[in-house]
Amino acid sequence: MPKKPKRIVDTTSFYTGYFLAIGVKPVGISEGAMDNPYFKEMLDGVRSIGKEPSPESILELNPDLIVTFTGTKDIDKLEQIAPVVAIDYGKKNYKDQLLEFGKLTGKEDKAKEWVDRWEQKISGLKPQIQAAVGNKTVSILNPYAKGLYVFGHNYGRGGEIIYGEFGLKAPPEAQKAAIDSGTGWASISLEKLPEFTGDIVFTCPWSGDTSDPGKVYENPVWKGLPAVKKGHVFQLNPKGDTFNDPVSLEAGLKFISESLLSVK
């Protein structure tokens, strides 16, 4: 394993922002990360390796380190190209993961600086948010082809901020299914939506399929929700807020905070 890798290829999409946050620019990243609007100004010279990168496309970039998910197909072929770091998604919280990447790249000081700045921001905002929200519950809901996903504390879409940093509460059913279970998400039918919907809702179409979110958003069940009637529904960015890396979290923090503070 190189002490300070210079040519990193990240096949995961979801870990690219960790490297960018500590001033390390990978030479190759997946198409999903390329499409993240929060990375837009940080990717000059970075090459897309596509949605499902092949070992051949990675070899062309002459990497000295490859980052991928545990269980990735053809990982044995990647190991023939360069040292591989395989990550079990969600096993570490984002602060610990950032510190680990800092050690891996010789940028541990940058990683610690980011964590310190972030915690200062949160400590300043948290009392304001908790005072504004009070006892209201918050849901994160994404329509998809077979119903809705309910997201929790560790699967992006602002959950790390809403439930983790601000300590806000999910509705009991969502808490049980998506947070207490440890999975970070649950799938529900439209009929069960009222049971999983809080006083405040963050939502966006699911980016993993091409289903029509209007089937949910235009449905009487959705329109009848108290949060919808009161205007307490806030639209996330499906190409950016699905990520939970430091760069995306910083961008999401502003929108989430302003949204929560606007609730009357």
Side-chain angles (χ1 to χ4, degrees), residues 11-12 15 67-73 75 84-89 91:
T11 73
T12 69
Y15 290 105
V67 178
T68 191
F69 287 124
T70 303
T72 295
K73 181 184 176 183
I75 197 168
V84 172
V85 172
I87 302 170
D88 189 356
Y89 179 82
K91 189 171 183 179

Side-chain angles (χ1 to χ4, degrees), residues 31-137:
E31 189 174 319
M34 291 293 286
D35 289 341
N36 186 332
Y38 305 139
F39 300 165
K40 188 175 180 181
E41 307 300 324
M42 309 171 80
L43 297 179
D44 287 348
V46 179
R47 182 168 159 184
S48 172
I49 53 175
K51 283 185 178 180
E52 297 182 8
S54 66
E56 291 75 20
S57 65
I58 293 171
L59 178 61
E60 289 177 8
L61 293 172
N62 190 30
D64 54 12
L65 183 69
I66 299 169
V67 178
T68 191
F69 287 124
T70 303
T72 295
K73 181 184 176 183
D74 293 333
I75 197 168
D76 55 329
K77 294 181 181 178
L78 298 182
E79 290 171 338
Q80 295 174 25
I81 297 171
V84 172
V85 172
I87 302 170
D88 189 356
Y89 179 82
K91 189 171 183 179
K92 294 181 183 292
N93 69 51
Y94 62 92
K95 294 176 192 175
D96 289 342
Q97 188 65 69
L98 181 65
L99 292 172
E100 185 171 290
F101 282 141
K103 292 177 183 176
L104 181 68
T105 58
K107 298 281 187 176
E108 193 171 1
D109 56 338
K110 295 291 185 184
K112 288 179 178 176
E113 285 172 12
W114 187 92
V115 172
D116 289 344
R117 287 196 308 271
W118 176 258
E119 290 183 342
Q120 286 176 4
K121 287 180 185 178
I122 296 298
S123 65
L125 283 167
K126 185 174 181 177
Q128 302 175 52
I129 298 296
Q130 291 189 334
V133 175
N135 293 324
K136 296 181 181 71
T137 55

